[in-house]
Amino acid sequence: MSRPVNYGELYRAGKKILEQADIGEAALDARLLLESVCRTNRNDLLVHGDREVEPEKEKTYLTFIEKRASHMPLQYITGVQEFMGLEFTVNEKVLIPRQDTEILVEEVLRDLHDGSRILDMCTGSGCILISLLHYSNDCQGTGADISGDALCVARENAARILAGKKDDTVARFVESDLFERVEGRFDILVSNPPYIRSAVIPELAEEVRGNEPILALDGAEDGLLFYRRIIKQGKEHLCGGGRLFFEIGYDQGVAVKGMMEEAGYADVRIVKDFSGLDRVVYGRYEVRE
Ligand code: GLN
């Protein structure tokens, strides 16, 4: 395009490229990417569609559109995802925080007291731990993950999101294969572990399968590997009366509940999400004499 391009033209060009690439939400994504590049809002596009776009921004927008056309998730292109009303930085080293996971955070929040010690196992972007710390006071949080690259993202999110807190909140992160380098006991152990059966991974959407870290998705043959390990080893890291909370796949509720009961956890419950599907399992660790 040799003549100056305006918002409207650029948006329509982007939308067309995404439609041709079979991107489901072509119009929405073309608009959100324009907003991300030009720092505009929906209103600017509607009311000021004839405003000229600087050549640099046009170039960046078309690069973003190309990435989206190749099925890179929008959030990896814009670098952000909103979760629990907070803005998290994301990149390809972390799973994109899902809205479903807010159910897990809300369940934990019901149980959280000021000053609690929280361990978030497989913290990824840190979205669970940081949200819990943001919406409480004086809690001490530890986020563990096997990926050092993920922890860089989590640390950055914690520093920015928790910066304004005036209480004694503590967030620390540890690179650890599950509990290997985790010390001490906690009141709350929360985890959204990788839980997809290995055989199902090739069937996932290209956005997920080709872009998100497999390490954060693959729960081995039956999808339950990490639940098994965390349920067992978690007992060495929970205080008596402490609680274990998991996010689960819609068809894993009964299995995970059974595993927790067998391991001696009490009052094990399954919580459904807003679609009526099993989404969270939690229970209490009781120290037996
Ligand atoms: N705890 C992070 C999240 O819920 C990452 C989970 C994971 O990597 N499996 O988004």
Side-chain angles (χ1 to χ4, degrees):
M1 293 181 228
S2 51
R3 69 203 156 80
V5 173
N6 67 37
Y7 283 153
E9 288 164 342
L10 198 54
Y11 161 72
R12 283 189 293 277
K15 180 168 157 256
K16 195 164 160 205
I17 296 171
L18 296 187
E19 278 166 356
Q20 282 165 351
D22 261 340
I23 301 297
E25 303 268 14
L28 178 67
D29 288 3
R31 176 166 66 77
L32 293 176
L33 288 174
L34 190 69
E35 290 174 9
S36 163
V37 173
C38 298
R39 302 275 152 222
T40 52
N41 58 35
R42 186 176 194 173
N43 196 45
D44 290 324
L45 186 60
L46 289 174
V47 183
H48 305 294
D50 56 351
R51 233 179 234 173
E52 272 177 34
V53 179
E54 298 155 40
E56 267 317 296
K57 296 217 161 118
E58 177 194 347
K59 218 166 111 192
T60 308
Y61 180 69
L62 292 173
T63 321
F64 280 16
I65 285 288
E66 284 311 325
K67 288 186 180 171
R68 187 68 195 102
S70 73
H71 291 263
M72 181 182 277
L74 190 84
Q75 295 88 335
Y76 288 153
I77 306 170
T78 60
V80 288
Q81 170 65 38
E82 191 259 12
F83 180 82
M84 291 298 294
L86 304 169
E87 189 168 276
F88 285 86
T89 295
V90 294
N91 64 26
E92 291 96 326
K93 304 296 183 184
V94 299
L95 197 77
I96 298 166
R98 305 294 204 268
Q99 225 169 8
D100 293 328
T101 306
E102 294 185 348
I103 311 261
L104 173 67
V105 172
E106 278 160 12
E107 279 307 317
V108 179
L109 280 174
R110 282 177 208 272
D111 221 62
L112 204 57
H113 303 290
D114 286 356
S116 291
R117 288 159 299 174
I118 311 164
L119 173 61
D120 176 16
M121 184 48 75
C122 311
T123 196
S125 64
C127 63
I128 297 173
L129 183 74
I130 295 164
S131 302
L132 292 171
L133 295 176
H134 175 81
Y135 292 111
S136 63
N137 293 307
D138 306 320
C139 289
Q140 294 181 37
T142 300
D145 205 287
I146 195 170
S147 159
D149 289 334
L151 290 175
C152 289
V153 177
R155 282 196 185 96
E156 188 201 319
N157 280 321
R160 183 172 37 78
I161 294 170
L162 302 174
K165 282 192 80 94
K166 305 261 183 294
D167 59 345
D168 290 328
T169 296
V170 176
R172 57 172 86 83
F173 295 93
V174 41
E175 188 174 332
S176 176
D177 184 355
L178 292 181
F179 297 91
E180 204 168 83
R181 297 181 56 207
V182 172
E183 285 171 13
R185 290 190 182 259
F186 298 83
D187 304 297
I188 303 269
L189 168 49
V190 57
S191 184
N192 174 22
Y195 59 70
I196 298 177
R197 281 184 287 120
S198 305
V200 174
I201 304 244
E203 297 163 23
L204 299 175
E206 165 65 19
E207 271 75 359
V208 181
R209 146 173 75 82
N211 293 275
E212 297 204 75
I214 293 296
L215 207 59
L217 298 166
D218 193 341
E221 200 179 334
D222 65 357
L224 300 172
L225 175 74
F226 294 97
Y227 297 110
R228 226 171 260 123
R229 293 189 178 165
I230 294 169
I231 288 170
K232 181 159 177 270
Q233 297 171 35
K235 293 199 277 185
E236 287 154 37
H237 293 278
L238 276 166
C239 310
R243 285 181 194 249
L244 170 58
F245 291 82
F246 281 125
E247 175 172 321
I248 51 152
Y250 71 96
D251 55 356
Q252 294 172 322
V254 175
V256 173
K257 180 171 187 272
M259 281 157 50
M260 283 180 68
E261 285 170 341
E262 204 172 305
Y265 289 81
D267 295 331
V268 182
R269 303 244 195 293
I270 300 178
V271 181
K272 291 184 192 298
D273 61 21
F274 299 123
S275 326
L277 302 171
D278 291 350
R279 179 57 64 189
V280 168
V281 177
Y282 69 88
R284 199 176 63 246
Y285 171 58
E286 289 193 326
V287 185
R288 300 266 159 84
E289 293 302 307

